[in-house]
Amino acid sequence: GGKTTTSGIADGNDVTLSTVSGAAFGAIILWQDSGSASTSRLIAFIDVGTGLPASPNGGDITIQFSNGASKVFML
């Protein structure tokens, strides 16, 4: 939510994923879901950041995007 783009800089609200379990992960993937895998588009693959890699333990995981100049990502 709260997604914006200005001068090639993407921003959006922080996200909280509830009761996350499963295998460890080392990246956050942002995509445009068209409802079909063949037409859905990759927007960003983020594999560097505080807390990555992460190991779910059944609790919540909050993804906090930067409030700095490059926000979520910058083109």
Side-chain angles (χ1 to χ4, degrees):
K3 58 186 180 267
T4 63
T5 56
T6 304
S7 300
I9 299 171
D11 195 9
N13 296 340
D14 295 343
V15 179
T16 299
L17 307 172
S18 300
T19 59
V20 180
S21 61
F25 61 91
I28 298 166
I29 299 171
L30 306 176
W31 76 96
Q32 178 187 26
D33 185 0
S34 68
S36 170
S38 64
T39 58
S40 294
R41 298 184 314 156
L42 175 67
I43 296 171
F45 182 91
I46 302 167
D47 61 349
V48 175
T50 302
L52 288 176
S55 297
N57 62 8
D60 295 351
I61 293 179
T62 300
I63 301 169
Q64 292 181 301
F65 295 113
S66 174
N67 289 324
S70 60
K71 307 289 183 186
V72 176
F73 65 86
M74 182 172 55
L75 299 177

